[in-house]
Amino acid sequence: MIAAIATLLLCQLLGEEIHLLTGLPLPGPVLGMFLLLGWLLLRPGERPTLVQVSAWLTAHLSVMFVPAAVGLIEEGPVLAQNGVAIVVATLASTLLTVAVTALVFRWALARQARGA
């Protein structure tokens, strides 16, 4: 189990390093996920232990949001000044994302129905 956790952390660390060294417009954790995918394709025997570790991490995911919540509380003055704009931007981007997702889904269904 320790090896699986180390693999996850190593992939994220390497992703961060690649991001910092190359300046790619992808976040380090995303690059780390691609590295992990490559690792899993090369070593399929790693999957059972990674499944156990990821299931445990997912079960305790709410604990991982505590630092973010504390960080938000510390930004009280900024939130008081820009809170309405942040809420409006969040709502607008969420609605836009839902609308675009629905349109793409309808397009994909129509394309699949024509091809079938």
Side-chain angles (χ1 to χ4, degrees):
M1 188 175 266
I2 300 280
I5 293 171
T7 302
L8 290 174
L9 292 175
L10 182 66
C11 286
Q12 182 171 357
L13 176 66
L14 290 174
E16 290 287 349
E17 287 297 317
I18 291 170
H19 172 73
L20 290 174
L21 292 174
T22 63
L24 287 172
L26 290 172
V30 173
L31 293 170
M33 284 192 333
F34 286 128
L35 291 173
L36 181 63
L37 176 63
W39 176 255
L40 290 174
L41 290 173
L42 292 173
R43 306 234 357 197
E46 298 285 327
R47 289 191 180 121
T49 53
L50 281 173
V51 167
Q52 288 176 336
V53 169
S54 60
W56 183 85
L57 286 172
T58 305
H60 296 86
L61 190 62
S62 61
V63 175
M64 295 178 198
F65 286 105
V66 170
V70 170
L72 270 176
I73 290 170
E74 288 183 0
E75 295 297 327
V78 174
L79 289 174
Q81 184 179 0
N82 301 316
V84 174
I86 292 171
V87 169
V88 169
T90 302
L91 287 174
S93 63
T94 301
L95 291 174
L96 182 62
T97 301
V98 169
V100 169
T101 302
L103 290 172
V104 169
F105 186 71
R106 287 180 63 185
W107 170 80
L109 282 177
R111 183 174 174 171
Q112 183 182 20
R114 277 183 284 161

XYZ file of all heavy atoms in Angstrom:
856
model
N 0.823 -1.190 0.000
C 0.000 0.000 0.000
C 0.873 1.263 0.000
O 0.523 2.229 -0.654
C -0.937 -0.021 1.206
C -1.943 1.105 1.155
S -3.150 1.071 2.454
C -4.467 0.193 1.675
N 1.989 1.223 0.709
C 2.897 2.371 0.741
C 3.445 2.639 -0.661
O 3.574 3.793 -1.080
C 4.062 2.124 1.741
C 3.527 1.902 3.142
C 5.073 3.247 1.695
C 3.159 3.131 3.896
N 3.751 1.574 -1.384
C 4.279 1.736 -2.739
C 3.246 2.402 -3.651
O 3.597 3.234 -4.498
C 4.699 0.387 -3.310
N 1.965 2.070 -3.469
C 0.915 2.677 -4.295
C 0.774 4.163 -3.975
O 0.626 4.990 -4.886
C -0.410 1.948 -4.076
N 0.830 4.511 -2.691
C 0.755 5.925 -2.312
C 1.961 6.669 -2.868
O 1.839 7.783 -3.389
C 0.666 6.069 -0.770
C -0.653 5.503 -0.266
C 0.816 7.521 -0.342
C -0.759 5.391 1.239
N 3.138 6.046 -2.754
C 4.348 6.669 -3.289
C 4.246 6.861 -4.796
O 4.684 7.886 -5.336
C 5.569 5.817 -2.939
N 3.644 5.900 -5.494
C 3.465 6.027 -6.941
C 2.574 7.216 -7.278
O 2.893 8.006 -8.172
C 2.852 4.730 -7.527
O 3.707 3.638 -7.225
C 2.654 4.838 -9.020
N 1.473 7.358 -6.545
C 0.573 8.498 -6.784
C 1.287 9.823 -6.527
O 1.201 10.751 -7.343
C -0.659 8.398 -5.887
C -1.649 7.282 -6.202
C -2.736 7.222 -5.128
C -2.260 7.471 -7.566
N 1.993 9.903 -5.418
C 2.684 11.146 -5.085
C 3.828 11.434 -6.050
O 4.057 12.590 -6.419
C 3.196 11.094 -3.649
C 2.112 11.098 -2.562
C 2.733 10.915 -1.186
C 1.287 12.367 -2.620
N 4.537 10.393 -6.471
C 5.625 10.574 -7.422
C 5.103 11.084 -8.767
O 5.691 11.984 -9.374
C 6.395 9.265 -7.613
C 7.582 9.336 -8.556
C 8.660 10.247 -7.976
C 8.141 7.949 -8.801
N 3.984 10.523 -9.220
C 3.401 10.986 -10.485
C 2.994 12.451 -10.385
O 3.226 13.232 -11.308
C 2.206 10.115 -10.878
S 2.666 8.492 -11.489
N 2.412 12.835 -9.251
C 2.020 14.237 -9.093
C 3.252 15.138 -9.020
O 3.284 16.207 -9.635
C 1.160 14.436 -7.857
C 0.722 15.881 -7.728
C -0.301 16.105 -6.648
O -0.747 15.180 -6.000
N -0.670 17.359 -6.459
N 4.272 14.707 -8.302
C 5.500 15.498 -8.200
C 6.155 15.663 -9.568
O 6.556 16.773 -9.943
C 6.470 14.837 -7.220
C 7.837 15.513 -7.088
C 7.678 16.887 -6.472
C 8.765 14.659 -6.265
N 6.239 14.573 -10.320
C 6.823 14.668 -11.658
C 5.982 15.568 -12.569
O 6.520 16.312 -13.379
C 6.977 13.270 -12.266
C 8.041 12.391 -11.624
C 8.000 10.987 -12.211
C 9.416 13.004 -11.799
N 4.665 15.487 -12.432
C 3.796 16.368 -13.206
C 4.048 17.831 -12.876
O 4.102 18.684 -13.771
N 4.209 18.129 -11.588
C 4.517 19.505 -11.175
C 5.862 19.950 -11.738
O 6.007 21.082 -12.201
C 4.533 19.618 -9.646
C 3.177 19.489 -8.989
C 2.293 20.701 -9.183
O 2.772 21.758 -9.653
O 1.102 20.590 -8.869
N 6.846 19.067 -11.687
C 8.167 19.404 -12.209
C 8.121 19.660 -13.713
O 8.729 20.612 -14.211
C 9.167 18.287 -11.892
C 9.568 18.230 -10.443
C 10.284 19.485 -9.979
O 11.150 20.001 -10.712
O 9.961 19.959 -8.877
N 7.400 18.812 -14.430
C 7.266 19.007 -15.881
C 6.601 20.344 -16.164
O 7.019 21.095 -17.051
C 6.490 17.837 -16.517
C 7.325 16.558 -16.472
C 6.091 18.164 -17.953
C 6.566 15.306 -16.854
N 5.572 20.657 -15.399
C 4.863 21.931 -15.583
C 5.809 23.113 -15.342
O 5.832 24.068 -16.122
C 3.667 22.006 -14.642
C 2.998 23.336 -14.629
N 2.215 23.799 -15.665
C 3.004 24.330 -13.706
C 1.774 25.002 -15.378
N 2.235 25.352 -14.201
N 6.573 23.051 -14.259
C 7.479 24.158 -13.933
C 8.627 24.288 -14.934
O 9.019 25.395 -15.291
C 8.040 23.975 -12.524
C 7.044 24.173 -11.383
C 7.680 23.811 -10.046
C 6.523 25.595 -11.355
N 9.155 23.158 -15.385
C 10.301 23.198 -16.290
C 9.928 23.568 -17.721
O 10.683 24.250 -18.407
C 11.031 21.854 -16.280
C 11.741 21.499 -14.980
C 12.301 20.088 -15.046
C 12.837 22.493 -14.667
N 8.760 23.103 -18.173
C 8.382 23.332 -19.571
C 7.424 24.496 -19.759
O 7.327 25.033 -20.855
C 7.730 22.074 -20.179
O 6.512 21.794 -19.470
C 8.669 20.887 -20.105
N 6.691 24.854 -18.707
C 5.714 25.923 -18.838
C 4.466 25.505 -19.614
O 3.752 26.360 -20.129
N 4.222 24.207 -19.704
C 3.020 23.732 -20.392
C 1.779 24.341 -19.744
O 1.745 24.540 -18.524
C 2.937 22.208 -20.330
C 3.914 21.437 -21.200
C 3.852 19.949 -20.877
C 3.608 21.662 -22.663
N 0.749 24.618 -20.532
C -0.446 25.246 -19.969
C -1.374 24.260 -19.252
O -2.556 24.523 -19.125
C -1.124 25.854 -21.200
C -0.706 24.976 -22.319
C 0.692 24.522 -21.985
N -0.859 23.122 -18.813
C -1.645 22.158 -18.045
C -1.140 22.158 -16.611
O 0.066 22.223 -16.376
C -1.488 20.751 -18.626
C -2.129 20.490 -19.977
C -1.717 19.114 -20.489
C -3.632 20.573 -19.879
N -2.037 22.043 -15.639
C -1.592 21.977 -14.245
C -0.756 20.723 -13.994
O -0.955 19.686 -14.650
C -2.895 21.927 -13.446
C -3.962 22.351 -14.384
C -3.484 22.069 -15.765
N 0.131 20.794 -13.041
C 0.980 19.671 -12.694
C 0.220 18.397 -12.356
O 0.596 17.313 -12.829
N -0.860 18.482 -11.555
C -1.595 17.258 -11.248
C -2.208 16.595 -12.490
O -2.307 15.371 -12.557
C -2.695 17.728 -10.290
C -2.095 18.913 -9.615
C -1.274 19.590 -10.684
N -2.598 17.385 -13.479
C -3.135 16.802 -14.711
C -2.026 16.079 -15.470
O -2.210 14.958 -15.962
C -3.801 17.879 -15.597
C -4.205 17.313 -16.944
C -5.006 18.472 -14.879
N -0.863 16.693 -15.538
C 0.275 16.024 -16.165
C 0.636 14.759 -15.388
O 0.974 13.724 -15.984
C 1.475 16.966 -16.231
C 1.314 18.181 -17.152
C 2.461 19.155 -16.949
C 1.227 17.748 -18.595
N 0.531 14.823 -14.071
C 0.781 13.650 -13.242
C -0.207 12.533 -13.522
O 0.157 11.350 -13.507
N -1.473 12.890 -13.783
C -2.465 11.862 -14.130
C -2.111 11.188 -15.443
O -2.272 9.976 -15.594
C -3.873 12.470 -14.198
C -4.463 12.735 -12.859
S -6.233 13.146 -12.822
C -6.580 13.870 -14.373
N -1.609 11.964 -16.408
C -1.171 11.358 -17.661
C 0.014 10.427 -17.426
O 0.089 9.341 -18.024
C -0.818 12.431 -18.690
C -2.006 13.117 -19.284
C -2.089 14.501 -19.290
C -3.048 12.405 -19.845
C -3.184 15.141 -19.841
C -4.155 13.029 -20.392
C -4.215 14.403 -20.397
N 0.925 10.832 -16.556
C 2.049 9.961 -16.219
C 1.566 8.678 -15.543
O 2.059 7.585 -15.839
C 3.033 10.698 -15.314
C 3.811 11.842 -15.946
C 4.607 12.590 -14.881
C 4.723 11.342 -17.043
N 0.592 8.817 -14.639
C 0.035 7.641 -13.973
C -0.647 6.723 -14.984
O -0.508 5.496 -14.913
C -0.950 8.064 -12.882
C -1.602 6.937 -12.091
C -0.557 6.131 -11.319
C -2.644 7.502 -11.141
N -1.364 7.304 -15.927
C -2.005 6.493 -16.970
C -0.953 5.719 -17.758
O -1.111 4.521 -18.017
C -2.829 7.384 -17.906
C -3.476 6.683 -19.100
C -4.488 5.653 -18.637
C -4.115 7.699 -20.021
N 0.114 6.392 -18.135
C 1.191 5.708 -18.846
C 1.793 4.588 -18.011
O 2.072 3.501 -18.521
N 1.992 4.850 -16.714
C 2.531 3.839 -15.830
C 1.606 2.622 -15.754
O 2.051 1.480 -15.788
C 2.736 4.444 -14.445
C 3.208 3.470 -13.410
C 2.465 2.914 -12.411
C 4.520 2.941 -13.274
N 3.231 2.082 -11.669
C 4.513 2.063 -12.172
C 5.710 3.116 -13.969
C 5.639 1.372 -11.751
C 6.829 2.421 -13.548
C 6.788 1.567 -12.460
N 0.305 2.882 -15.658
C -0.657 1.776 -15.576
C -0.722 0.986 -16.880
O -0.972 -0.220 -16.857
C -2.039 2.306 -15.193
C -2.157 2.800 -13.759
C -3.522 3.447 -13.532
C -1.930 1.679 -12.774
N -0.530 1.654 -18.001
C -0.505 0.939 -19.272
C 0.735 0.053 -19.377
O 0.678 -1.036 -19.957
C -0.562 1.921 -20.436
C -1.897 2.647 -20.625
C -1.774 3.707 -21.700
C -3.007 1.672 -20.947
N 1.847 0.510 -18.813
C 3.083 -0.271 -18.842
C 3.098 -1.385 -17.796
O 3.710 -2.427 -18.006
C 4.294 0.641 -18.632
C 4.593 1.634 -19.747
C 5.715 2.575 -19.329
C 4.960 0.905 -21.027
N 2.462 -1.136 -16.656
C 2.480 -2.109 -15.551
C 1.067 -2.378 -15.059
O 0.642 -1.857 -14.027
C 3.310 -1.553 -14.399
C 4.685 -1.134 -14.809
C 5.784 -1.689 -14.073
N 5.442 -2.541 -12.956
C 6.300 -2.834 -12.019
N 7.492 -2.338 -12.070
N 5.971 -3.631 -11.032
N 0.306 -3.199 -15.776
C -1.084 -3.446 -15.377
C -1.237 -4.127 -14.018
O -2.282 -4.058 -13.398
C -1.636 -4.332 -16.490
C -0.507 -4.708 -17.357
C 0.679 -3.893 -16.986
N -0.188 -4.757 -13.505
C -0.270 -5.415 -12.207
C -0.391 -4.451 -11.044
O -0.689 -4.857 -9.926
N -0.163 -3.175 -11.279
C -0.241 -2.172 -10.212
C -1.681 -1.804 -9.865
O -1.930 -1.194 -8.841
C 0.498 -0.894 -10.638
C 1.974 -1.075 -10.899
C 2.772 -1.216 -9.626
O 2.393 -0.597 -8.618
O 3.757 -1.952 -9.651
N -2.615 -2.148 -10.707
C -3.989 -1.665 -10.528
C -4.646 -2.057 -9.217
O -5.273 -1.219 -8.581
C -4.843 -2.106 -11.718
C -4.481 -1.345 -12.953
C -5.478 -1.581 -14.070
N -5.051 -0.812 -15.231
C -4.766 -1.330 -16.396
N -4.890 -2.611 -16.593
N -4.392 -0.571 -17.394
N -4.560 -3.319 -8.762
C -5.279 -3.667 -7.517
C -4.858 -2.828 -6.318
O -5.716 -2.367 -5.563
C -4.936 -5.147 -7.310
C -4.616 -5.651 -8.667
C -3.963 -4.494 -9.388
N -3.563 -2.586 -6.135
C -3.157 -1.787 -4.980
C -3.543 -0.330 -5.149
O -3.940 0.320 -4.190
C -1.634 -1.898 -4.749
O -0.959 -1.571 -5.953
C -1.246 -3.284 -4.308
N -3.473 0.183 -6.368
C -3.898 1.566 -6.593
C -5.397 1.719 -6.395
O -5.865 2.756 -5.931
C -3.488 2.031 -7.983
C -2.022 2.432 -8.122
C -1.682 2.710 -9.573
C -1.685 3.618 -7.269
N -6.160 0.689 -6.729
C -7.605 0.726 -6.497
C -7.885 0.810 -5.004
O -8.734 1.597 -4.567
C -8.295 -0.505 -7.133
C -9.715 -0.656 -6.640
C -8.273 -0.398 -8.646
N -7.156 0.035 -4.208
C -7.351 0.082 -2.750
C -7.021 1.464 -2.195
O -7.775 2.028 -1.405
C -6.471 -0.957 -2.059
C -6.911 -2.376 -2.255
C -5.929 -3.347 -1.629
O -4.757 -3.033 -1.447
N -6.416 -4.538 -1.299
N -5.895 2.011 -2.614
C -5.470 3.315 -2.115
C -6.435 4.401 -2.557
O -6.843 5.252 -1.762
C -4.032 3.628 -2.576
C -3.669 5.079 -2.312
C -3.051 2.702 -1.890
N -6.823 4.374 -3.825
C -7.733 5.420 -4.308
C -9.112 5.293 -3.661
O -9.766 6.307 -3.409
C -7.828 5.391 -5.832
O -8.308 4.146 -6.267
N -9.554 4.078 -3.365
C -10.836 3.913 -2.662
C -10.747 4.503 -1.257
O -11.677 5.172 -0.794
C -11.221 2.437 -2.604
N -9.622 4.273 -0.589
C -9.444 4.835 0.746
C -9.403 6.361 0.688
O -10.024 7.048 1.508
C -8.162 4.296 1.374
C -7.956 4.791 2.770
C -8.470 4.265 3.902
C -7.193 5.938 3.150
N -8.065 5.016 4.978
C -7.281 6.046 4.551
C -6.442 6.879 2.457
C -6.647 7.055 5.258
C -5.815 7.876 3.167
C -5.923 7.961 4.552
N -8.661 6.911 -0.288
C -8.579 8.366 -0.421
C -9.943 8.965 -0.740
O -10.311 10.011 -0.209
C -7.574 8.736 -1.517
C -6.101 8.567 -1.160
C -5.239 8.773 -2.393
C -5.700 9.512 -0.056
N -10.692 8.312 -1.595
C -12.025 8.804 -1.941
C -12.955 8.766 -0.732
O -13.759 9.670 -0.537
C -12.614 7.981 -3.092
O -11.700 8.009 -4.184
C -13.949 8.528 -3.544
N -12.831 7.725 0.082
C -13.675 7.616 1.280
C -13.385 8.744 2.271
O -14.264 9.152 3.024
C -13.468 6.257 1.942
N -12.159 9.244 2.260
C -11.773 10.310 3.188
C -11.593 11.654 2.476
O -10.889 12.534 2.967
C -10.488 9.918 3.915
C -10.664 8.701 4.773
N -10.523 7.428 4.278
C -11.006 8.560 6.068
C -10.756 6.560 5.234
N -11.056 7.223 6.343
N -12.230 11.812 1.358
C -12.058 13.014 0.546
C -12.506 14.279 1.267
O -11.900 15.338 1.110
C -12.823 12.853 -0.773
C -12.590 13.887 -1.849
C -11.127 13.858 -2.282
C -13.482 13.621 -3.036
N -13.551 14.180 2.067
C -14.055 15.386 2.739
C -13.008 16.006 3.658
O -12.966 17.218 3.814
C -15.323 15.055 3.522
O -15.045 14.077 4.508
N -12.151 15.193 4.236
C -11.099 15.715 5.121
C -10.121 16.579 4.326
O -9.562 17.539 4.846
C -10.366 14.549 5.819
C -9.194 15.035 6.639
C -11.336 13.781 6.690
N -9.946 16.257 3.069
C -8.992 16.993 2.252
C -9.482 18.397 1.904
O -8.710 19.216 1.421
C -8.667 16.198 0.991
C -7.953 14.914 1.306
S -7.629 13.986 -0.156
C -7.330 12.382 0.540
N -10.761 18.678 2.119
C -11.289 20.008 1.841
C -11.142 20.947 3.034
O -11.397 22.133 2.919
C -12.762 19.932 1.425
C -12.953 19.415 0.039
C -13.407 18.132 -0.191
C -12.655 20.210 -1.054
C -13.567 17.657 -1.467
C -12.813 19.744 -2.345
C -13.271 18.455 -2.555
N -10.732 20.437 4.184
C -10.589 21.274 5.374
C -9.581 22.400 5.142
O -9.878 23.564 5.444
C -10.240 20.413 6.610
C -9.859 21.282 7.791
C -11.410 19.505 6.949
N -8.384 22.137 4.601
C -7.449 23.260 4.375
C -8.010 24.321 3.433
O -7.792 25.510 3.647
C -6.218 22.581 3.760
C -6.292 21.170 4.212
C -7.757 20.853 4.288
N -8.750 23.892 2.421
C -9.342 24.872 1.506
C -10.385 25.721 2.224
O -10.465 26.937 2.007
C -9.964 24.155 0.314
N -11.176 25.104 3.087
C -12.189 25.853 3.835
C -11.534 26.845 4.786
O -11.988 27.988 4.916
C -13.092 24.892 4.604
N -10.459 26.435 5.431
C -9.745 27.339 6.329
C -9.152 28.499 5.529
O -9.198 29.656 5.958
C -8.643 26.578 7.106
C -7.747 27.533 7.858
C -9.289 25.586 8.056
N -8.617 28.199 4.360
C -8.082 29.257 3.498
C -9.150 30.249 3.092
O -8.904 31.464 3.022
N -10.362 29.766 2.825
C -11.463 30.673 2.488
C -11.823 31.571 3.662
O -12.076 32.762 3.481
C -12.697 29.867 2.076
C -12.823 29.525 0.609
C -14.039 28.650 0.369
C -12.910 30.766 -0.247
N -11.832 30.994 4.838
C -12.184 31.782 6.022
C -11.153 32.887 6.253
O -11.496 34.005 6.636
C -12.305 30.865 7.256
C -13.543 29.987 7.095
C -12.360 31.657 8.540
C -13.664 28.885 8.113
N -9.888 32.591 5.974
C -8.845 33.600 6.149
C -8.955 34.730 5.132
O -8.408 35.802 5.335
C -7.463 32.947 6.042
C -7.117 32.097 7.239
C -5.724 31.520 7.138
O -5.031 31.777 6.134
O -5.334 30.808 8.074
N -9.651 34.510 4.037
C -9.807 35.534 3.003
C -11.115 36.305 3.180
O -11.690 36.791 2.204
C -9.761 34.884 1.614
C -8.436 34.262 1.260
C -7.305 35.278 1.204
O -7.540 36.440 0.821
O -6.177 34.897 1.556
N -11.574 36.421 4.407
C -12.833 37.102 4.700
C -12.963 38.494 4.101
O -13.968 38.798 3.450
N -11.973 39.379 4.260
C -12.102 40.724 3.697
C -12.239 40.727 2.168
O -13.025 41.482 1.608
C -10.805 41.418 4.121
C -10.335 40.673 5.318
C -10.785 39.259 5.107
N -11.488 39.864 1.503
C -11.578 39.788 0.038
C -12.953 39.271 -0.375
O -13.569 39.782 -1.322
C -10.460 38.880 -0.528
C -10.632 38.671 -2.024
C -9.095 39.461 -0.217
N -13.441 38.252 0.347
C -14.769 37.717 0.036
C -15.862 38.750 0.315
O -16.839 38.829 -0.437
C -15.028 36.447 0.839
C -14.224 35.227 0.410
C -14.460 34.067 1.372
C -14.578 34.823 -0.999
N -15.710 39.534 1.375
C -16.701 40.563 1.677
C -16.724 41.623 0.581
O -17.787 42.127 0.211
C -16.400 41.205 3.026
N -15.565 41.946 0.036
C -15.478 42.971 -0.998
C -15.947 42.454 -2.356
O -16.611 43.168 -3.096
C -14.040 43.468 -1.100
C -13.854 44.599 -2.088
C -12.402 45.067 -2.119
O -11.550 44.539 -1.411
N -12.138 46.052 -2.945
N -15.596 41.211 -2.697
C -15.881 40.684 -4.040
C -16.828 39.501 -4.032
O -16.949 38.801 -5.042
C -14.566 40.250 -4.710
C -13.584 41.379 -4.824
O -13.947 42.489 -5.187
N -12.334 41.109 -4.496
N -17.494 39.244 -2.916
C -18.338 38.060 -2.779
C -19.439 37.957 -3.820
O -19.656 36.893 -4.406
N -20.136 39.047 -4.074
C -21.239 39.020 -5.045
C -20.711 38.708 -6.442
O -21.283 37.874 -7.157
C -22.012 40.359 -5.026
C -23.059 40.391 -6.120
C -22.660 40.585 -3.666
N -19.612 39.331 -6.816
C -19.028 39.072 -8.141
C -18.577 37.620 -8.262
O -18.754 36.984 -9.311
C -17.852 40.008 -8.387
N -18.014 37.073 -7.193
C -17.571 35.677 -7.219
C -18.762 34.748 -7.378
O -18.726 33.799 -8.169
C -16.763 35.347 -5.948
C -15.436 36.110 -5.962
C -16.520 33.853 -5.821
C -14.666 36.034 -4.662
N -19.835 34.997 -6.647
C -21.025 34.148 -6.739
C -21.641 34.252 -8.130
O -22.014 33.237 -8.732
C -22.056 34.531 -5.644
C -23.390 33.859 -5.881
C -21.509 34.163 -4.276
N -21.747 35.458 -8.668
C -22.316 35.631 -10.006
C -21.456 34.925 -11.056
O -21.967 34.216 -11.928
C -22.475 37.133 -10.344
C -22.808 37.345 -11.814
C -23.558 37.753 -9.469
N -20.145 35.077 -10.964
C -19.246 34.421 -11.922
C -19.338 32.905 -11.806
O -19.347 32.190 -12.816
C -17.811 34.882 -11.696
N -19.441 32.399 -10.574
C -19.548 30.952 -10.371
C -20.857 30.423 -10.948
O -20.869 29.400 -11.647
C -19.446 30.609 -8.875
O -18.202 31.097 -8.378
C -19.555 29.121 -8.638
N -21.956 31.114 -10.686
C -23.252 30.679 -11.225
C -23.274 30.743 -12.755
O -23.744 29.816 -13.417
C -24.383 31.521 -10.639
C -24.731 31.247 -9.180
C -25.768 32.263 -8.683
C -25.261 29.843 -9.016
N -22.755 31.833 -13.305
C -22.755 31.981 -14.763
C -21.896 30.902 -15.428
O -22.308 30.290 -16.420
C -22.262 33.368 -15.157
N -20.719 30.643 -14.887
C -19.853 29.628 -15.490
C -20.441 28.232 -15.327
O -20.315 27.390 -16.225
C -18.451 29.692 -14.895
O -18.474 29.391 -13.515
N -21.123 27.983 -14.211
C -21.766 26.680 -14.025
C -22.888 26.487 -15.029
O -22.996 25.427 -15.662
C -22.303 26.548 -12.590
O -21.213 26.686 -11.673
C -22.991 25.220 -12.378
N -23.728 27.502 -15.189
C -24.827 27.392 -16.157
C -24.306 27.252 -17.577
O -24.840 26.467 -18.366
C -25.744 28.612 -16.036
C -26.558 28.693 -14.738
C -27.312 30.025 -14.677
C -27.523 27.527 -14.644
N -23.261 27.982 -17.917
C -22.670 27.873 -19.239
C -22.104 26.469 -19.470
O -22.285 25.882 -20.540
C -21.576 28.922 -19.416
C -20.890 28.964 -20.776
C -21.897 29.304 -21.875
C -19.753 29.957 -20.765
N -21.448 25.919 -18.456
C -20.892 24.571 -18.566
C -21.993 23.537 -18.768
O -21.873 22.639 -19.609
C -20.072 24.226 -17.309
O -19.019 25.178 -17.177
C -19.505 22.833 -17.379
N -23.082 23.653 -18.009
C -24.201 22.717 -18.155
C -24.809 22.832 -19.547
O -25.110 21.824 -20.204
C -25.257 22.963 -17.056
C -26.532 22.201 -17.334
C -24.700 22.584 -15.693
N -24.982 24.053 -20.034
C -25.576 24.254 -21.361
C -24.688 23.683 -22.462
O -25.173 22.978 -23.363
C -25.822 25.746 -21.602
N -23.397 23.955 -22.398
C -22.482 23.431 -23.421
C -22.418 21.911 -23.359
O -22.426 21.234 -24.397
C -21.079 24.057 -23.264
C -20.050 23.337 -24.121
C -21.126 25.535 -23.606
N -22.409 21.361 -22.152
C -22.393 19.903 -22.010
C -23.648 19.289 -22.617
O -23.575 18.277 -23.324
C -22.273 19.515 -20.524
O -21.083 20.090 -19.990
C -22.242 18.009 -20.344
N -24.797 19.888 -22.364
C -26.046 19.377 -22.936
C -26.035 19.462 -24.459
O -26.459 18.515 -25.142
C -27.235 20.150 -22.365
N -25.548 20.558 -25.003
C -25.486 20.695 -26.465
C -24.534 19.674 -27.091
O -24.854 19.065 -28.117
C -25.068 22.115 -26.840
C -26.108 23.196 -26.552
C -25.499 24.583 -26.775
C -27.337 23.006 -27.416
N -23.385 19.484 -26.475
C -22.434 18.496 -27.000
C -23.025 17.093 -26.899
O -22.887 16.278 -27.819
C -21.082 18.594 -26.259
C -20.176 17.420 -26.579
C -20.398 19.908 -26.590
N -23.710 16.791 -25.801
C -24.331 15.484 -25.641
C -25.403 15.255 -26.699
O -25.464 14.177 -27.306
C -24.924 15.374 -24.231
C -25.469 14.013 -23.919
C -24.610 12.946 -23.727
C -26.832 13.802 -23.821
C -25.104 11.684 -23.434
C -27.338 12.552 -23.530
C -26.472 11.483 -23.332
N -26.239 16.255 -26.943
C -27.268 16.125 -27.986
C -26.635 15.945 -29.354
O -27.089 15.135 -30.159
C -28.182 17.350 -27.979
C -29.119 17.369 -26.787
C -30.012 18.559 -26.796
N -30.872 18.515 -27.983
C -31.701 19.472 -28.324
N -31.802 20.549 -27.578
N -32.434 19.362 -29.404
N -25.561 16.689 -29.633
C -24.857 16.566 -30.907
C -24.288 15.155 -31.060
O -24.393 14.539 -32.123
C -23.757 17.613 -30.987
C -22.834 17.425 -32.150
C -23.058 17.792 -33.442
C -21.555 16.796 -32.125
N -21.981 17.432 -34.220
C -21.046 16.818 -33.437
C -20.786 16.226 -31.127
C -19.803 16.287 -33.762
C -19.558 15.703 -31.447
C -19.081 15.737 -32.758
N -23.673 14.634 -29.984
C -23.082 13.297 -30.042
C -24.147 12.233 -30.234
O -23.950 11.275 -30.998
C -22.275 13.017 -28.772
N -25.283 12.372 -29.567
C -26.379 11.414 -29.755
C -26.906 11.440 -31.185
O -27.161 10.394 -31.779
C -27.517 11.696 -28.768
C -27.315 11.219 -27.342
C -28.500 11.643 -26.489
C -27.125 9.723 -27.284
N -27.090 12.638 -31.734
C -27.581 12.758 -33.103
C -26.565 12.168 -34.083
O -26.953 11.467 -35.042
C -27.842 14.224 -33.445
N -25.308 12.400 -33.855
C -24.274 11.861 -34.735
C -24.226 10.340 -34.646
O -24.072 9.653 -35.648
C -22.923 12.459 -34.364
C -21.834 12.007 -35.261
C -20.558 12.711 -34.971
N -19.503 12.121 -35.793
C -18.318 12.583 -35.918
N -17.981 13.658 -35.252
N -17.434 11.985 -36.666
N -24.388 9.803 -33.432
C -24.378 8.372 -33.267
C -25.613 7.734 -33.910
O -25.513 6.676 -34.535
C -24.352 8.018 -31.770
C -24.275 6.531 -31.503
C -24.289 6.215 -30.033
O -24.715 7.025 -29.208
N -23.823 5.035 -29.677
N -26.766 8.400 -33.822
C -27.986 7.864 -34.439
C -27.876 7.847 -35.968
O -28.367 6.927 -36.615
C -29.192 8.699 -34.002
N -27.216 8.845 -36.540
C -27.029 8.870 -37.998
C -26.072 7.777 -38.447
O -26.235 7.200 -39.506
C -26.487 10.223 -38.435
C -27.569 11.264 -38.595
C -26.980 12.541 -39.098
N -26.310 13.158 -37.941
C -25.387 14.077 -38.006
N -24.953 14.498 -39.154
N -24.848 14.595 -36.935
N -25.052 7.503 -37.632
C -24.048 6.505 -38.021
C -24.520 5.082 -37.798
O -23.998 4.146 -38.389
N -25.524 4.882 -36.962
C -25.960 3.510 -36.627
C -26.911 2.944 -37.627
O -27.435 3.412 -38.515
C -26.607 3.504 -35.264
